[in-house]
Amino acid sequence: EDDAAQARRLMEGLLFLNSISDVKGFVGRGVTTDGISHYPMGSNDQTGPWFYGLWRYYESALASNEEKARIAKHLIETSEAIIALQWRMPAETPFGTRGSFEGFHFEEASRQIFVLKLLETITADPKWAALYRQTLAQSGGPEKLSKREILEKGMKFFYAKTHNWTSCCAVAALRGLWELETDQELRDTYKRGLIASADLAAEALPMALKYDPNDQSVLVMDWRKAMLPLWKPQTTEKEASDLADAQRRAWDAESPRRTHEAQTVREPIAAAWIVTLCPDADIVSRHRESIEAMISSFNYPRLYYSGFFWAESAWYRLHP
């Protein structure tokens, strides 16, 4: 009952983040202590798991008919707003949009195709089924691959040596596609993508061996001291992104402990979840012992940064 109450609270929180703005389809990052003030941009990285989380609740035994109806309404309206912006995430003035599900990279394709399949499933409207198939067949990008072929190849890293921590939600979307699809050929396509993703993610599991439970490096809890002196008004998405990068670098310079945990906890824990999302039991079994050992090894009361939270998702996939 406690778990059910927490899951319901999370679901209501996701719907709330989609209700704090007059901009249709806006999914906020959170609110301040007044319960409504918020940053005027969401992101593709956050909107992807917003869809995924609501779907997981929707298809669970917890969801009442009334909750399903509310969730479906939010999913449909948000999707239509995103599609109307050529798959860009709605944002408030002065930004307009922030990030996109449109493109020929794995992270874009998996989220976009998952949303279409999800809408086909919850609405039974043939227009979504047609758009789903049509989008799967679209080709482009440097390799001129179709989005189906991109999904079949699985997760790819592109902005850093590894970034399981951001890519894991795109792999989760692919897992959702594998679960929702009834066409066996397509399911096999998605399964191959999940296997490839698990194989790539597994390479990051040894990063946890560099975690030092006795590490004494500093984490400055008051991030404002490092970040606010750099603040300036932003009027475009690029200006906001550039400022965020500069602020993050400034905070990291004063908080080496955050970097240590990001590299040795956040990244391998996210990789562990990706491995457990693979539907091939033999592959998961191959890494089970190392994942369980890793999850059990961290000194959780000593961790500062929240990047360990995937540990629970990975653990319960190994222990359903």
Side-chain angles (χ1 to χ4, degrees):
E1 291 183 4
D2 289 343
D3 289 344
Q6 291 185 52
R8 183 164 284 110
R9 181 182 181 187
L10 289 170
M11 178 274 292
E12 293 289 358
L14 292 176
L15 295 185
F16 174 69
L17 291 176
N18 194 217
S19 307
I20 57 177
S21 175
D22 292 333
V23 174
K24 190 174 182 180
F26 177 82
V27 177
R29 299 166 180 264
V31 296
T32 59
T33 52
D34 66 3
I36 190 65
S37 299
H38 55 273
Y39 190 66
M41 285 199 294
S43 81
N44 49 341
D45 285 334
Q46 293 172 234
T47 305
W50 180 85
F51 277 102
Y52 180 79
L54 286 174
W55 166 63
R56 281 295 185 200
Y57 187 90
Y58 181 96
E59 58 90 36
S60 76
L62 293 176
S64 68
N65 290 335
E66 183 274 335
E67 288 171 335
K68 284 188 173 184
R70 283 197 293 130
I71 291 170
K73 183 174 184 293
H74 279 263
L75 292 175
I76 294 166
E77 290 181 354
T78 301
S79 299
E80 289 176 340
I82 291 171
I83 292 171
L85 292 170
Q86 286 76 55
W87 288 97
R88 295 188 66 80
M89 309 300 110
E92 294 178 337
T93 304
F95 301 109
T97 62
R98 168 66 171 124
S100 176
F101 286 174
E102 178 58 81
F104 292 90
H105 189 275
F106 171 77
E107 297 196 9
E108 298 158 338
S110 62
R111 293 163 176 167
Q112 181 184 49
I113 303 299
F114 170 69
V115 168
L116 292 174
K117 186 62 181 179
L118 174 58
L119 293 175
E120 175 192 344
T121 303
I122 66 175
T123 67
D125 188 332
K127 78 173 184 180
W128 295 117
L131 187 56
Y132 166 66
R133 292 281 180 166
Q134 174 188 331
T135 307
L136 267 175
Q138 290 175 353
S139 297
E143 299 180 81
K144 305 301 180 185
L145 298 174
S146 70
K147 291 183 177 179
R148 177 173 179 169
E149 291 171 323
I150 291 170
L151 295 182
E152 187 170 21
K153 288 180 175 292
M155 176 177 70
K156 303 291 182 186
F157 298 137
F158 64 100
Y159 71 85
K161 185 177 180 180
T162 66
H163 46 81
N164 290 283
W165 73 286
T166 49
S167 293
C168 61
C169 289
V171 179
L174 183 58
R175 170 71 191 213
L177 280 167
W178 180 79
E179 292 186 25
L180 290 170
E181 186 53 68
T182 57
D183 182 303
Q184 191 57 51
E185 287 190 8
L186 268 177
R187 290 194 90 219
D188 289 344
T189 293
Y190 300 149
K191 182 176 181 179
R192 286 189 287 272
L194 288 165
I195 290 172
S197 300
D199 287 342
L200 179 59
E203 296 177 7
L205 296 178
M207 295 175 73
L209 298 175
K210 296 181 180 180
Y211 167 69
D212 179 5
N214 299 311
D215 177 77
Q216 298 298 312
S217 57
V218 175
L219 188 141
V220 177
M221 300 295 285
D222 187 0
W223 52 266
R224 296 168 183 82
K225 291 180 179 179
M227 298 177 114
L228 286 186
L230 298 173
W231 189 90
K232 57 185 177 181
Q234 314 118 54
T235 58
T236 68
E237 180 180 348
K238 185 178 186 307
E239 288 178 354
S241 180
D242 289 346
L243 174 60
D245 283 341
Q247 290 177 315
R248 176 187 54 78
R249 289 194 298 270
W251 190 29
D252 284 348
E254 295 191 16
S255 303
R257 173 71 185 204
R258 194 185 88 93
T259 301
H260 177 69
E261 290 188 16
Q263 294 174 346
T264 65
V265 180
R266 183 183 68 181
E267 188 66 1
I269 282 286
W273 184 42
I274 291 173
V275 172
T276 62
L277 287 168
C278 181
D280 189 312
D282 290 339
I283 290 177
V284 176
S285 179
R286 187 185 309 158
H287 301 289
R288 182 187 186 102
E289 185 175 343
S290 62
I291 291 174
E292 289 181 339
M294 174 178 65
I295 292 174
S296 301
S297 70
F298 294 124
N299 187 354
Y300 292 97
R302 291 286 307 278
L303 296 178
Y304 288 92
Y305 196 50
S306 61
F308 61 84
F309 77 92
W310 291 287
E312 188 175 48
S313 298
W315 185 267
Y316 283 119
R317 282 201 165 270
L318 295 178
H319 302 271

